Amino acid sequence: GKVPEVQNLQRNHQQSYQGSGSMANVLTSEELQQLRDYVTAPESGIQRQNESIVSLHCTHSHLKSQWPEMKFDKHTTVQAVKETLHKRTGTNTETMTLQLKGPDGAVRATLADDKMLGFYSPSDGDVLHIIDSDPNSLAAGGWLENTDLVEKYEMDQETYAARPDSVAQWKKKLAAENPAAFKKGTAATDETGEAEAANMKVGNRCEVAPGGRRGTVRFVGKAPALQPGWFVGVEFDSPEGNNNGTVKGVKYFECQDKFGCLVRPDKVTIGNFKTLAEELDDDEDEL
């Protein structure tokens, strides 16, 4: 048959490799074709092995978890299949009943322990459903999946406050070392930023912190859609902003997208700030 032919091919190739001491000698096209014919032949052991393997989708009566495409040999007994599923689900084999269902969920058979799996003619994509009849099963009621059912340790505030290594104690220590860093800011009012905005006018050149972004003032006033108080709308010289002058549906000024920004007046410095093009011209004049 084909087995001796392949064994001869293997023996000849090993002798050729050992004699040459290199990988230069490989199977010829004719030898590769013989090997391919053997592997793909209907009567080959490889084909028979593939045909005996079935891919099943496993579900459980108590668990939401599912196990898709579990591989089983049709020549395996149902009892052996149960033992495999016990390792996955924790359900005892003595209280486990297996049903074979079609992809549509219709029950085809209830499996007997002493039968081979192949006796029931399972096909790839069929469902192997596990029924757990143990009244004391840990899987019942979601105990293996729902963490809300597990009693959790809770510490009362008095015990927590007494701990020297808590996050609260650590924050207190940092606040004592650097009080300014933990000082809470005051809530914004209608007057917030008014004093700083008093000397700002539309058309002023400015620089915005952080980053020293330069641009032109296009709006000075209140923006109720954002927060109480005063804001300054700036059109940057380059796309360093986050809007086009419209914020939350309200148009405060108009510019290209990503060139606009609304900031608090204390972030804006008014001055004779040149554009990048003007600075380049100055450099060329100096040259």
Side-chain angles (χ1 to χ4, degrees), residues 216-233:
T216 303
V217 175
R218 299 300 185 193
F219 168 82
V220 180
K222 295 183 178 181
L226 298 179
Q227 289 181 355
W230 290 68
F231 286 85
V232 178

Side-chain angles (χ1 to χ4, degrees), residues 87-101:
K87 298 175 183 178
R88 291 290 187 96
T89 66
T91 300
N92 293 323
T93 57
E94 295 82 3
T95 57
M96 181 189 302
T97 301
L98 296 181
Q99 289 182 335
L100 182 65
K101 300 181 179 181

Side-chain angles (χ1 to χ4, degrees), residues 168-180:
Q169 293 293 347
W170 174 72
K171 292 176 69 175
K172 286 182 180 179
K173 180 181 178 182
L174 290 181
E177 295 173 351
N178 187 7

Side-chain angles (χ1 to χ4, degrees), residues 74 115-122:
K74 296 179 184 178
K115 298 289 186 181
M116 295 289 185
L117 181 61
F119 176 80
Y120 300 95
S121 302

Side-chain angles (χ1 to χ4, degrees), residues 2-48:
K2 294 184 179 292
V3 174
E5 292 179 10
V6 174
Q7 290 175 340
N8 289 335
L9 286 174
Q10 183 182 25
R11 188 181 303 108
N12 293 338
H13 186 59
Q14 288 175 342
Q15 292 174 352
S16 176
Y17 171 71
Q18 293 170 355
S20 64
S22 70
M23 291 296 291
N25 295 297
V26 296
L27 292 174
T28 65
S29 298
E30 182 180 356
E31 290 172 336
L32 284 172
Q33 186 59 51
Q34 292 179 15
L35 183 59
R36 186 179 295 109
D37 292 342
Y38 167 74
V39 173
T40 58
E43 68 274 13
S44 74
I46 295 176
Q47 289 297 104
R48 288 196 300 272

